[in-house]
Amino acid sequence: MASSPDVTPSTGNTPENPESGSVSEVPETPDGPARRGRVRARRAAVMAVPATLVAGALAVLTAEGALGVQFAISGMPFTVTATELDGSGFEQFGGLDSMAPGSPNEGDTGGQVLVVTSAIKNATLTKLCQSVDLGGTNLLIKAGHGREKVTATDLTTDSTELSGDAAFRNIEIGNDASTLTKAGVKGPIGVFSQQADHVFIKDLRQTNYATTAAVFKLPGLKLSFSSSGC
């Protein structure tokens, strides 16, 4: 389900550590080593402040869902099915996924796929099946077919098709995607969206290009190759 570039503050471009060459270790003179030590310490403190502020701001934005985790999609769609999906904190809005430059799967799309991003804060799935067509054979992944169900937190899927029998509780339709609050994810400003406190989908079937989750537990995981998909 979608996903801005990560910004990492540089860790190798700060002045000397003021703790090495402490002022107390060198006799203090008007223009001597002690004064230069204090100047280096002040420079280090000034340069460290912007990096700290940037890192702090990114952490806050990520926690609020203002920044998504972006990656180049392969461009190969995969199918996901479940007999039941039960989720709390649901959001849905439009988005655009991009493939790696020069991907052989871009075809006539220009390397971009228009998707619907669905975000669920906490989800439980029964009899999960995921398959991707590798050309003549399918990579098949199954989980949650026993007593334990598949669970996920901060689950997002980017889909081009979604079907099933759905029921929502306290749904809001027509929100601006940048104002969503139910799942902790915010979409682009000016984009149509909807959200609900709870979603239940029976006989779920999706065609996806991307899936992310903070935690994804797959009891009874089984991976195999098959002549048929989900």
Side-chain angles (χ1 to χ4, degrees), residues 14 153 161 163 181 187 201 218 228:
T14 56
T153 58
E161 293 183 24
S163 63
T181 59
I201 303 177
L218 302 165
S228 58

Side-chain angles (χ1 to χ4, degrees), residues 1-3 97 115-118 156-160 207-211:
M1 299 183 169
S3 348
D97 282 354
V115 296
V116 174
T117 296
S118 301
T156 66
T157 59
D158 289 358
S159 312
T160 53
T207 300
N208 293 346
Y209 278 86
T211 297

Side-chain angles (χ1 to χ4, degrees), residues 16-41:
E16 292 182 39
N17 188 334
E19 293 181 359
S20 60
S22 173
V23 173
S24 62
E25 297 174 0
V26 183
E28 185 173 351
T29 61
D31 297 309
R35 183 174 183 276
R36 289 196 296 272
R38 290 196 297 271
V39 171
R40 287 197 298 269

Side-chain angles (χ1 to χ4, degrees), residues 9 21 45 77 82 91-92 101 107 110 113 118 150 154 157 166 168 190 196 199 229:
E91 299 173 357
Q92 197 171 64
V113 180
S118 301
V150 172
D154 297 325
T157 59
F168 302 90
V199 59

Side-chain angles (χ1 to χ4, degrees), residues 118-200:
S118 301
I120 303 176
K121 189 63 179 177
N122 295 287
T124 300
L125 300 101
T126 304
K127 295 184 179 179
L128 175 70
C129 179
Q130 177 178 301
S131 64
V132 56
D133 188 349
L134 301 178
T137 188
N138 291 271
L139 175 61
L140 198 64
I141 297 175
K142 292 185 176 182
H145 285 245
R147 295 176 58 184
E148 293 186 71
K149 299 180 180 181
V150 172
T151 58
T153 58
D154 297 325
L155 175 69
T156 66
T157 59
D158 289 358
S159 312
T160 53
E161 293 183 24
L162 188 155
S163 63
D165 297 322
F168 302 90
R169 185 168 67 241
N170 295 332
I171 190 169
E172 301 170 2
I173 301 174
N175 309 61
D176 187 294
S178 67
T179 67
L180 296 174
T181 59
K182 303 294 185 180
V185 176
K186 297 183 187 298
I189 189 170
V191 172
F192 180 93
S193 69
Q194 60 183 5
Q195 65 177 359
D197 287 341
H198 183 268
V199 59
F200 180 83

Side-chain angles (χ1 to χ4, degrees), residues 1 10 16 24 27 50 54 62-63 67-69 74 76 81 83 99 123 134 157 223-224:
M1 299 183 169
S10 175
E16 292 182 39
S24 62
V54 169
T62 302
L67 297 179
V69 180
S74 69
M76 298 177 66
T81 65
T83 57
M99 303 176 202
L134 301 178
T157 59
L223 185 151
S224 62

